[in-house]
Amino acid sequence: RQFLFTYYHFKPIISEERNMKTEFTEQRDNVRIYFNENQALEALVEIKKDLQIAPCRIWNLSMGGLRLSIDNHHILSKGDELLLSNLRLPDNSTMESDITLKTCWAIHQEKPALTFIGCNYLQLPEEHQTNFKKMILEELQQTKVKRNVPE
């Protein structure tokens, strides 16, 4: 299974000749891997403030957090806690333990009617840490990016 790409920012650098050059520089503390439409991981998310459970899709992840989407009729705010469960991995296995998340941001879009949510982990069980590290390291080996990933 190949992931789409790792995340880089463009950092413009102006040379002495005033010509514009572009340098790729990692701006995050943790390497993030992205999933395309066919690769997005599926799970269930419980919104703790109102005890609603919704199916979700995970679009990227790192050892520090992840971005997911849910139907747009769920209203979330920064700081809301979520409980992610029944995460289906790329090999189609399902992880039973839950991940506790804290909402950092939420963007509601109309078409398609989805809410995208950026989250930090409040509690990431060891089995998830192991699987996420493996997925990230596989992506790094494929893209040959040199970066420190926690062992």
Side-chain angles (χ1 to χ4, degrees):
R1 179 175 170 117
Q2 287 191 342
F3 300 107
L4 189 56
F5 55 85
T6 51
Y7 187 77
Y8 290 90
H9 283 289
F10 288 101
K11 181 179 179 184
I13 296 179
I14 301 174
S15 69
E16 292 179 19
E17 297 86 28
R18 310 288 290 167
N19 293 329
M20 188 67 90
K21 295 183 180 181
T22 303
E23 176 184 288
F24 297 97
T25 306
E26 176 65 55
Q27 298 291 312
R28 296 181 183 266
D29 291 335
N30 296 295
V31 173
R32 182 168 301 268
I33 56 175
Y34 284 69
F35 307 103
N36 65 28
E37 181 74 27
N38 298 323
Q39 299 168 325
L41 305 179
E42 295 178 356
L44 294 175
V45 66
E46 178 183 335
I47 303 165
K48 287 188 170 186
K49 69 180 179 182
D50 55 16
L51 302 177
Q52 292 185 22
I53 297 176
C56 70
R57 298 189 80 194
I58 297 171
W59 298 98
N60 67 50
L61 64 84
S62 73
M63 295 308 296
L66 54 81
R67 179 172 59 107
L68 59 86
S69 66
I70 58 175
D71 289 336
N72 209 8
H73 66 274
H74 299 283
I75 304 300
L76 292 165
S77 303
K78 183 176 180 177
D80 287 347
E81 285 192 24
L82 308 173
L83 194 64
L84 191 75
S85 62
N86 298 316
L87 175 62
R88 188 173 53 81
L89 296 174
D91 65 4
N92 287 322
S93 64
T94 302
M95 300 189 70
E96 299 301 323
S97 61
D98 297 336
I99 301 173
T100 307
L101 304 167
K102 182 178 181 180
T103 302
C104 296
W105 54 264
I107 298 174
H108 306 281
Q109 83 178 27
E110 292 185 26
K111 293 184 181 182
L114 293 173
T115 298
F116 288 93
I117 307 158
C119 303
N120 285 334
Y121 306 121
L122 291 178
Q123 182 266 327
L124 183 62
E126 190 170 327
E127 68 175 315
H128 288 289
Q129 290 179 32
T130 301
N131 283 309
F132 290 177
K133 286 177 192 175
K134 180 182 173 190
M135 291 166 54
I136 292 167
L137 287 171
E138 286 173 1
E139 174 65 6
L140 289 176
Q141 289 173 348
Q142 290 176 7
T143 59
K144 301 193 184 327
V145 174
K146 303 293 185 208
R147 179 85 179 166
N148 290 334
V149 176
E151 294 182 11

